[in-house]
Amino acid sequence: MKLTLKLKNPGEIKRFVEITSQYGEDLSLVHNRYVVDAKSILGIFSMDLSRPIDLVSDVENENLKNDLKDFVVA
């Protein structure tokens, strides 16, 4: 599964981590060659958030997609 996301401010990042932490599968945020754990607030803040980033998972999860719909960009 791959979703392209935009995290705009610290409040959105906090909400994003709260959502992803509810899921057991490994979730990664990827921008170019930089990869961080999608459940790590410090890891996310270390990324360049001025551009969209990709959420990547080996598991296809419709519930997760629905929970993150507010962050998804086309």
Side-chain angles (χ1 to χ4, degrees):
M1 175 179 80
K2 180 178 171 183
L3 299 173
T4 301
L5 311 172
K6 182 71 173 152
L7 300 171
K8 299 173 188 161
N9 58 55
E12 282 192 356
I13 293 169
K14 180 178 182 281
R15 197 167 120 237
F16 175 82
V17 170
E18 288 170 352
I19 292 169
T20 56
S21 295
Q22 296 174 16
Y23 291 88
E25 57 261 33
D26 289 333
L27 302 170
S28 299
L29 289 175
V30 180
H31 180 67
N32 294 329
R33 293 176 31 186
Y34 194 69
V35 180
V36 300
D37 182 348
K39 300 173 187 177
S40 168
I41 199 162
L42 291 176
I44 295 170
F45 275 116
S46 71
M47 298 186 84
D48 176 9
L49 299 176
S50 65
R51 298 173 186 227
I53 52 179
D54 293 325
L55 174 75
V56 179
S57 173
D58 291 337
V59 178
E60 195 69 32
N61 188 324
E62 292 302 318
N63 291 329
L64 177 60
K65 285 182 182 180
N66 188 50
D67 287 347
L68 296 177
K69 69 181 179 291
D70 293 340
F71 306 107
V72 175
V73 295

